[in-house]
Amino acid sequence: MHVFLEGVQRKTHARRTALSERVRAEIHSARSCRSPRTPSIMSTESSPLLNYRLFSVTGELPEGEGPGAQGEESVCSVATPPEQRPRLNTFFGVVVPTVLSMFSIVVFMRIGFVIGHAGFLQALLMLAVAYIIITLTILSVCAISTNGAVQGGGAYFMISRTLGPEFGGSIGLMFYLANVCACGVYILGLVEAILDVFGKISGAPGPAGLHALPQGYWFSLLYATGLLLLCLLVCLVGAEIYSKASFLIFLVVTIVLLTILVSFFAVGPQHFSIAHQDGGNVTYSGSFTGFNESTLRGNLYEQYSRDYTTNTMMSFATVFAILFNGCTGIMAGSNMSGELRDPSVSIPKGTIIAVGYTFFIYLLLFFMVSFTCDRVLLLQDNGFFRRINVWPPFVTIGIYSTSLSASMSSLIGASRILHALAKDQLFGVLTAPAKITSKSGNPWVAVLYTWALVQVTEQPLIRVRRVSACVCVYLTPPPSPRPTFRFFSWHTCVLGLVSCFVMMFLINAVYTSASIVFMLLLLVFIHYRAPTSSWGYISQALIFHQVRKYLLLLDVRKEHVKFWRPQILLMVANPRASCQLIKFINDLKKGGLYVLGHVEIGDLDTVPSDPIQPQYNFWLSLVDRLNVKAFVDLTLSQSVRQGAQHLLRITGLGGMKPNTLVLGFYDSCTPEDYFLQDPAFRDGLENDHFGVDNSALQAHFPPVRDREGSKALGPSEYVSLVSDALKMGKNVCLGRYFHLLEKGALFGKGQGQGQGVAIDVWPLNLLRPDSASYVDVCSLFLLQMACILNMVPSWRASRLRIFLCVESGDDGWVRKEAKLRELLGKLRIKAAIKIVAWDAVAALHWHNQPRAATPGHADGEAERTLADAPAAASATHLGRVSEEYLDAVNQLVRSQALHTAVSFLYLPRPPADTAQYESYLEQLDRVTRDLGPSLLIHGLTPVTCTEL
């Protein structure tokens, strides 16, 4: 026997001891280097992707493997060195960079632009919509950041640990690229602002030395390179110097904003001449009126016109896009998560403070500008704050400061995201050097990577001034299970998601569509490339939810024969000898449930812990290597029979429960070790994603038994298993000689792709040919199973043959063939009917027995009702079947199996008398001896239907 019997062996004490010693030796160094206070690596999210070995047995990581094998990720690293401990608090680490990023250049250069085109009312609407979307997003960010320990990587770390590596990696890379592009845009915006004041312009007013900088494409690139180099130097020193520089800039911006607010009251009404060189000198007259009700009325409503800087007609969508794109720096503080003392507190608190502060400043400026500046001034001079300020250079300093701060924020934030991506090893060697850090923990290589990429993007960005850089970060504001931040719900998450999608398509549908496609491609790439992580997968949570929901809808009371499919429990003792049968049953399942069952002999009272749970990892790795779609169910029992009963009763859930039991045949053949033949089990030490390599798999499953090896159960207990399954209403299949099945040889290209290969069906009960007709339930079950196999793409080239046994003296065999052909037509089964003369075999059967109701002499037998067939089959009397008859049947079947791949045979019921079990098994052994791959089937379930 090659599946169930040759193996449900008791694992010997010596083998258990050897395996335990091997496991202890492999993990000894990993255990010894860990502090008692250090939690298991599985309990943290500091590791990138799991590559743990034998975790299901030990729960520990071996030395030199997994995330703790390299650099700063070492499992032996007990404490963070003092120089690498984060130092930034909420204000310096979150509030300052977030405020500066949300202000950027918009607060100085685009407020008049927005009000001039959209009017005060629509500007307030745009501001409200923008901050509603921002608020909905930060509610999710706050929930995620308070749901667990947050480490370096900011938004990427939070998304990847919440949604899994596929979503986290794809969104993280796009967020990184968005920060790179944003850094380039901010740098070029700063260059443009500098050239507006200091650029060389012929005939420009003011001192000649003021307009001294030459202009042009290459000069702009040179200035941008110098400014970017300054940002690089600051970021290379580290986050602490960056925070100090940001705080200094924050003070400067705050002072400039105060001067602007003071100017609205301190400066009197003024008139300005505004000249544009747009195909000629055009002069406009704008006014600062001070607080004036008529000015407010003139600015209330929209007046969309052409922007004087681009000569593009403005609309609600374009103006809103410019405003929103300048207000979306909410992730600047989150990107500094690795530098914060307490990210779970600082990120939500600091982000909310920054959003509230910037909203108040924007609202105040909108109100004051609408009251004091006429429409012409707002439309024709984006930098009008310089004209009305008590000291105009203040505004220029503010513009330069915010642009420089936003550039540094994008550069250092992008480098932290890249560093986190590199540590998680999602993109292999491409980002591997970015893991390197200085002694103080600064990822200087990631900073250099990002600087170089920004430098590369500056050249095309000089030609394309407006880029929606952060369009992708709002794709997924994910919920979180148990955050300490409570002011959110799934409603806010869904509303934020929908709002972000609408906003993105409103800003630029082409860029948005391209970003979504790119993200999906990254998601698929990471899904198939990345190893398994310990972060959790949102896809698994969604699948669980849907499976549970649909399992509840799968009502067993609504089952119908038209939609029947086999749901199979295959009992496996030792997979070393049964891999071919496992693969064959995988072809036979027809999209139904397929479970590999195994019984471990033992008693839970005698062991300190459950010995079954550690084995699942090995069995699941076996399923992966065999590439079969099967579940695994293991049980511990004092006997194989009792364990099989447990599995038959409890395996599955709801309407997904096994209806068919498959066992290997009970014989004395010496099984072959499939692990020694298949390169997938033999070559190398390749780990799967769960740390089970070939050597571990070989060590876990015991060697196949030799001819003298003892079996875990006797022949009577084996037949009792068959009888138990039939009593429980399960169909039963016994598989024999499947170690001889070579599908590659049968259906290979060199063999005519399976032409001439046959699937043979013998629907007659060969042990008792007078006990049932060709159309009883069991015979029809045989036909259905053979038809299912023939429908599998890899078996479609084979021919289905049905054998009709007749005697030469039977005049009704033509009518029987016609009726069988008519039945096959009704069942839509395409098969060839083979007429087999078995006079000599039948003579041996009827020797010393009455000839009543034989298949050749009882025409009414072929029309026996299906309800009568099981009762007739149960009346088997084994003692009347001679060995000569059994040998003759065996020879007859073998003579027809010249090109047969698999034979389907009728399995009679076990006798009611348990004393005859061994004789029953001996008869099955004689009939199927040397037949090649054979499946004996007894079906109890009606599986065919002729109605539509």
Side-chain angles (χ1 to χ4, degrees):
M1 160 183 186
H2 296 282
V3 173
F4 192 64
L5 275 198
E6 82 41 40
V8 186
Q9 309 172 353
R10 291 179 175 86
K11 309 271 193 304
T12 64
H13 176 70
R15 188 185 67 80
R16 289 184 184 276
T17 303
L19 179 59
S20 300
E21 291 298 327
R22 178 179 178 276
V23 170
R24 291 192 188 100
E26 287 180 334
I27 66 171
H28 174 70
S29 58
R31 275 184 171 175
S32 62
C33 74
R34 288 177 49 190
S35 166
R37 295 180 179 269
T38 304
S40 170
I41 194 68
M42 279 298 293
S43 64
T44 72
E45 290 182 340
S46 61
S47 64
L49 300 179
L50 279 185
N51 207 5
Y52 55 93
R53 185 179 183 195
L54 292 180
F55 169 71
S56 62
V57 176
T58 67
E60 304 273 354
L61 278 171
E63 184 178 19
E65 293 192 18
Q70 301 179 10
E72 70 278 8
E73 294 293 333
S74 174
V75 179
C76 300
S77 179
V78 179
T80 303
E83 63 272 12
Q84 294 188 21
R85 290 174 183 168
R87 302 181 177 89
L88 301 184
N89 59 19
T90 300
F91 181 75
F92 287 99
V94 180
V95 175
V96 170
T98 303
V99 167
L100 292 177
S101 295
M102 295 188 71
F103 277 157
S104 65
I105 203 171
V106 173
V107 73
F108 297 113
M109 298 289 290
R110 287 294 180 260
I111 287 182
F113 169 86
V114 172
I115 297 175
H117 286 285
F120 179 61
L121 296 179
Q122 285 197 10
L124 289 181
L125 177 62
M126 292 178 183
L127 187 67
V129 171
Y131 270 82
I132 287 174
I133 296 175
I134 290 171
T135 302
L136 292 173
T137 304
I138 66 169
L139 290 179
S140 294
V141 172
C142 294
I144 296 172
S145 63
T146 59
N147 190 50
V150 180
Q151 300 176 24
Y156 158 70
F157 182 88
M158 291 186 286
I159 293 174
S160 64
R161 269 51 175 185
T162 304
L163 301 183
E166 295 97 338
F167 285 96
S170 56
I171 295 177
L173 180 60
M174 296 187 69
F175 190 44
Y176 169 74
L177 296 176
N179 276 272
V180 168
C181 293
C183 183
V185 169
Y186 292 139
I187 288 289
L188 294 176
L190 178 56
V191 170
E192 184 178 345
I194 292 174
L195 292 178
D196 281 344
V197 178
F198 300 104
K200 187 178 293 185
I201 303 175
S202 59
L210 185 64
H211 301 280
L213 295 178
Q215 300 194 55
Y217 173 78
W218 293 107
F219 282 108
S220 296
L221 183 60
L222 177 63
Y223 304 147
T225 301
L227 293 171
L228 184 60
L229 186 61
L230 175 62
C231 297
L232 171 67
L233 294 176
V234 173
C235 295
L236 280 178
V237 174
E240 190 172 1
I241 189 64
Y242 161 75
S243 67
K244 293 178 180 178
S246 297
F247 179 65
L248 179 62
I249 294 174
F250 178 79
L251 291 179
V252 171
V253 171
T254 302
I255 293 173
V256 172
L257 288 174
L258 286 175
T259 63
I260 291 175
L261 295 176
V262 170
S263 298
F264 285 115
F265 299 94
V267 176
Q270 298 182 26
H271 298 279
F272 307 102
S273 294
I274 306 168
H276 296 316
Q277 294 180 356
D278 188 13
N281 291 327
V282 181
T283 303
Y284 298 92
S285 179
S287 301
F288 173 76
T289 64
F291 288 94
N292 191 301
E293 185 179 351
S294 61
T295 303
L296 177 62
R297 284 198 299 268
N299 289 330
L300 277 180
Y301 304 105
E302 71 277 6
Q303 187 179 320
Y304 295 108
S305 59
R306 291 187 178 275
D307 178 27
Y308 73 91
T309 61
T310 61
N311 199 31
T312 303
M313 187 64 188
M314 294 293 102
S315 65
F316 182 91
T318 54
V319 174
F320 175 71
I322 292 172
L323 174 65
F324 186 84
N325 199 42
C327 301
T328 54
I330 59 172
M331 304 306 295
S334 300
N335 290 341
M336 302 298 295
S337 59
E339 321 295 337
L340 300 174
R341 293 175 188 168
D342 191 352
S344 297
V345 173
S346 297
I347 290 176
K349 183 189 297 184
T351 306
I352 291 175
I353 292 174
V355 169
Y357 174 73
T358 55
F359 176 76
F360 174 75
I361 295 297
Y362 274 122
L363 185 62
L364 188 60
L365 290 175
F366 275 25
F367 179 79
M368 290 189 170
V369 168
S370 301
F371 251 108
T372 59
C373 302
D374 70 358
R375 181 86 68 170
V376 175
L377 179 62
L378 299 180
L379 287 174
Q380 302 304 325
D381 188 2
N382 292 336
F384 74 96
F385 278 141
R386 283 196 298 262
R387 295 181 183 270
I388 67 173
N389 198 271
V390 291
W391 190 53
F394 265 139
V395 178
T396 303
I397 294 172
I399 293 173
Y400 296 168
S401 300
T402 53
S403 299
L404 188 63
S405 172
S407 303
M408 288 192 300
S409 176
S410 297
L411 181 62
I412 198 169
S415 66
R416 269 47 181 181
I417 296 172
L418 180 62
H419 178 62
L421 285 167
K423 289 199 302 181
D424 289 342
Q425 304 172 12
L426 292 181
F427 298 97
V429 296
L430 188 63
T431 58
K435 291 188 293 184
I436 300 174
T437 62
S438 64
K439 291 183 179 180
S440 62
N442 184 35
W444 61 273
V445 176
V447 174
L448 288 177
Y449 262 49
T450 307
W451 167 80
L453 192 56
V454 173
Q455 185 66 50
V456 170
T457 60
E458 279 181 351
Q459 185 170 351
L461 284 176
I462 290 175
R463 306 180 186 277
V464 184
R465 296 289 185 182
R466 292 184 180 172
V467 177
S468 183
C470 299
V471 74
C472 306
V473 71
Y474 297 98
L475 281 175
T476 315
S480 190
R482 292 187 305 276
T484 58
F485 183 84
R486 298 294 182 183
F487 300 99
F488 91 108
S489 69
W490 70 268
H491 303 86
T492 61
C493 297
V494 172
L495 184 58
L497 182 65
V498 173
S499 302
C500 291
F501 267 105
V502 172
M503 175 273 302
M504 290 189 301
F505 281 98
L506 189 64
I507 291 177
N508 194 305
V510 176
Y511 284 160
T512 298
S513 302
S515 299
I516 292 174
V517 171
F518 183 53
M519 190 198 73
L520 292 176
L521 292 176
L522 284 174
L523 190 147
V524 173
F525 170 77
I526 297 174
H527 175 75
Y528 285 104
R529 183 206 170 277
T532 303
S533 78
S534 62
W535 314 334
Y537 291 81
I538 190 65
S539 57
Q540 292 296 304
L542 294 175
I543 290 171
F544 178 87
H545 175 74
Q546 293 299 108
V547 168
R548 183 194 63 84
K549 180 173 71 174
Y550 287 113
L551 274 176
L552 291 173
L553 295 176
L554 190 60
D555 193 340
V556 295
R557 297 168 297 181
K558 298 179 181 179
E559 289 181 352
H560 193 276
V561 64
K562 289 190 296 186
F563 306 110
W564 181 90
R565 65 183 70 232
Q567 302 195 84
I568 299 173
L569 171 63
L570 171 62
M571 298 299 298
V572 181
N574 188 349
R576 287 179 177 271
S578 54
C579 289
Q580 292 94 332
L581 182 56
I582 294 174
K583 290 183 175 181
F584 175 77
I585 299 301
N586 186 65
D587 291 338
L588 198 62
K589 70 181 185 301
K590 186 55 179 176
L593 178 68
Y594 182 23
V595 181
L596 301 183
H598 174 73
V599 178
E600 182 82 5
I601 304 299
D603 187 353
L604 199 59
D605 292 335
T606 63
V607 292
S609 62
D610 184 11
I612 296 300
Q613 292 302 322
Q615 299 188 31
Y616 272 96
N617 228 17
F618 296 100
W619 283 86
L620 293 174
S621 296
L622 172 75
V623 169
D624 293 338
R625 281 173 165 80
L626 291 176
N627 195 27
V628 296
K629 298 179 180 179
F631 298 94
V632 173
D633 209 349
L634 312 178
T635 188
L636 181 71
S637 180
Q638 296 180 357
S639 69
V640 175
R641 180 182 179 185
Q642 187 182 57
Q645 291 177 2
H646 294 167
L647 292 176
L648 282 171
R649 292 185 184 280
I650 66 176
T651 296
L653 191 64
M656 297 282 288
K657 296 184 73 69
N659 56 30
T660 303
L661 173 68
V662 180
L663 303 173
F665 197 79
Y666 192 100
D667 57 21
S668 58
C669 294
T670 302
E672 297 182 9
D673 193 339
Y674 184 81
F675 285 8
L676 301 179
Q677 304 172 15
D678 193 335
F681 296 92
R682 186 183 69 245
D683 297 340
L685 296 175
E686 180 184 358
N687 277 6
D688 62 10
H689 296 331
F690 298 92
V692 179
D693 58 25
N694 288 341
S695 62
L697 205 63
Q698 294 271 5
H700 176 73
F701 295 110
V704 296
R705 63 172 176 83
D706 53 22
R707 185 174 292 273
E708 289 77 21
S710 61
K711 299 178 181 180
L713 74 170
S716 295
E717 186 179 1
Y718 175 79
V719 180
S720 297
L721 284 178
V722 177
S723 179
D724 293 343
L726 294 175
K727 291 177 182 178
M728 298 169 70
K730 310 296 183 182
N731 311 297
V732 176
C733 303
L734 308 181
R736 190 176 192 186
Y737 294 124
F738 276 92
H739 65 282
L740 302 176
L741 181 62
E742 298 289 345
K743 279 184 63 178
L746 290 173
F747 299 99
K749 294 183 178 180
Q751 303 293 328
Q753 295 184 342
Q755 296 298 324
V757 176
I759 300 173
D760 290 351
V761 181
W762 296 80
L764 181 66
N765 183 353
L766 296 175
L767 290 186
R768 200 57 203 279
D770 60 336
S771 64
S773 70
Y774 282 100
V775 291
D776 68 0
V777 171
C778 186
S779 300
L780 293 178
F781 190 89
L782 256 72
L783 289 175
Q784 183 75 350
M785 296 296 281
C787 183
I788 288 173
L789 182 64
N790 193 226
M791 294 167 63
V792 176
S794 59
W795 288 86
R796 199 165 290 166
S798 59
R799 297 176 296 117
L800 187 60
R801 303 191 301 179
I802 301 176
F803 290 89
L804 181 62
C805 299
V806 300
E807 296 182 51
S808 57
D810 180 14
D811 297 332
W813 70 268
V814 176
R815 185 170 64 256
K816 290 181 180 180
E817 181 186 9
K819 286 190 175 183
L820 181 58
R821 197 175 301 279
E822 179 184 1
L823 176 64
L824 294 177
K826 291 180 179 179
L827 297 177
R828 290 88 61 199
I829 297 177
K830 185 179 179 181
I833 298 177
K834 303 289 291 185
I835 306 299
V836 178
W838 74 326
D839 298 69
V841 178
L844 293 173
H845 173 68
W846 300 119
H847 183 65
N848 297 328
Q849 294 188 39
R851 289 188 61 91
T854 72
H857 293 83
D859 295 341
E861 192 70 25
E863 300 177 6
R864 180 179 297 177
T865 63
L866 299 181
D868 296 335
S874 64
T876 304
H877 297 284
L878 298 175
R880 298 184 181 181
V881 181
S882 65
E883 294 182 358
E884 291 81 2
Y885 168 74
L886 297 175
D887 293 338
V889 170
N890 174 260
Q891 184 61 36
L892 175 68
V893 177
R894 288 171 57 190
S895 66
Q896 301 293 328
L898 183 60
H899 301 289
T900 301
V902 180
S903 297
F904 286 77
L905 303 175
Y906 192 112
L907 174 67
R909 276 180 174 268
D913 185 3
T914 57
Q916 297 184 350
Y917 277 0
E918 292 192 23
S919 299
Y920 167 80
L921 192 57
E922 290 174 1
Q923 292 177 3
L924 296 179
D925 176 69
R926 279 185 172 274
V927 169
T928 58
R929 187 172 298 166
D930 299 327
L931 284 187
S934 305
L935 201 64
L936 294 106
I937 300 176
H938 191 94
L940 300 178
T941 308
V943 294
T944 58
C945 180
T946 60
E947 298 177 356
L948 184 61

